């Protein structure tokens, strides 16, 4: 999926560290801690990503059964991360944060940062602009 394997390894190590096919108390499964229960769930949702090996777009419908399989969990986790990477304008730190917090929560962080710091989203696309970091804890209050 065109991702740096070191970043992929870092994400799954941080998220879980080892694979489990059991839904944890937070509603997530596997290495990539893909949410399949709770307030927001990937269960029955589709994720589409570009597969560079086949040179084509690929769509998968997420299910508890699929993400319980370690290989499917990695595949779907990478597909979700590719979507975050693109949505965050290839900003690695923001893409990782979006994976961890969820894309909607990341939007709250970025919009608040722009409002409070009087900057544009374009300003935040700069890899060196980390002003959004101080607004990450906002989503913990929701």
């Amino acid at each position: 999926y065109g991702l740096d394997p070191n970043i992929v390894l870092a994400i799954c190590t941080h998220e879980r560290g080892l694979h489990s096919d059991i839904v944890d108390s937070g509603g997530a499964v596997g290495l990539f801690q893909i949410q399949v229960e709770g307030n927001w769930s990937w269960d029955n949702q589709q994720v589409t990503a570009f597969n560079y090996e086949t040179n084509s777009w690929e769509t998968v419908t997420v299910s508890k059964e699929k993400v319980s399989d370690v290989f499917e969990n990695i595949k779907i986790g990478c597909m979700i991360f590719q979507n975050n990477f693109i949505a965050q304008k290839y900003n690695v730190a923001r893409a990782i944060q979006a994976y961890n917090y969820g894309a909607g929560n990341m939007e709250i962080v970025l919009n608040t940062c722009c409002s409070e710091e009087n900057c544009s989203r374009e300003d935040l696309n700069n890899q060196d602009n980390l002003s959004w970091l101080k607004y990450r804890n906002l989503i913990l209050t929701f």
Side-chain angles (χ1 to χ4, degrees):
Y1 297 98
L3 304 171
D4 182 331
N6 291 314
I7 294 172
V8 170
L9 180 60
I11 291 170
C12 67
T13 301
H14 174 76
E15 288 292 328
R16 182 65 165 232
L18 59 104
H19 184 72
S20 171
D21 61 357
I22 297 170
V23 178
D24 69 16
S25 61
V29 176
L31 275 171
F32 278 83
Q33 289 293 274
I34 298 169
Q35 292 297 126
V36 292
E37 292 180 0
N39 291 338
W40 197 93
S41 169
W42 278 101
D43 194 34
N44 252 357
Q45 302 292 317
Q46 290 189 327
V47 61
T48 300
F50 191 78
N51 184 327
Y52 286 88
E53 287 183 8
T54 63
N55 201 32
S56 62
W57 290 93
E58 185 175 312
T59 300
V60 173
T61 301
V62 179
S63 68
K64 289 180 191 179
E65 293 76 27
K66 281 185 185 163
V67 296
S68 294
D69 175 83
V70 67
F71 297 106
E72 287 293 313
N73 190 278
I74 293 168
K75 174 182 175 174
I76 292 168
C78 287
M79 292 174 78
I80 293 168
F81 182 68
Q82 184 193 78
N83 280 274
N84 285 312
F85 195 48
I86 293 167
Q88 297 304 320
K89 306 295 184 204
Y90 304 96
N91 183 305
V92 175
R94 284 186 12 211
I96 292 169
Q97 190 69 66
Y99 185 89
N100 185 258
Y101 275 17
N105 286 328
M106 190 62 183
E107 287 300 307
I108 292 168
V109 168
L110 296 176
N111 289 337
T112 302
C113 178
C114 287
S115 176
E116 296 290 319
E117 302 288 324
N118 197 26
C119 66
S120 70
R121 288 296 284 268
E122 188 65 32
D123 294 333
L124 295 180
N125 290 341
N126 180 333
Q127 298 277 346
D128 296 327
N129 186 340
L130 300 176
S131 60
W132 59 271
L133 286 171
K134 60 184 160 187
Y135 299 95
R136 291 182 304 165
N137 291 336
L138 270 178
I139 66 117
L140 300 176
T141 62
F142 289 96

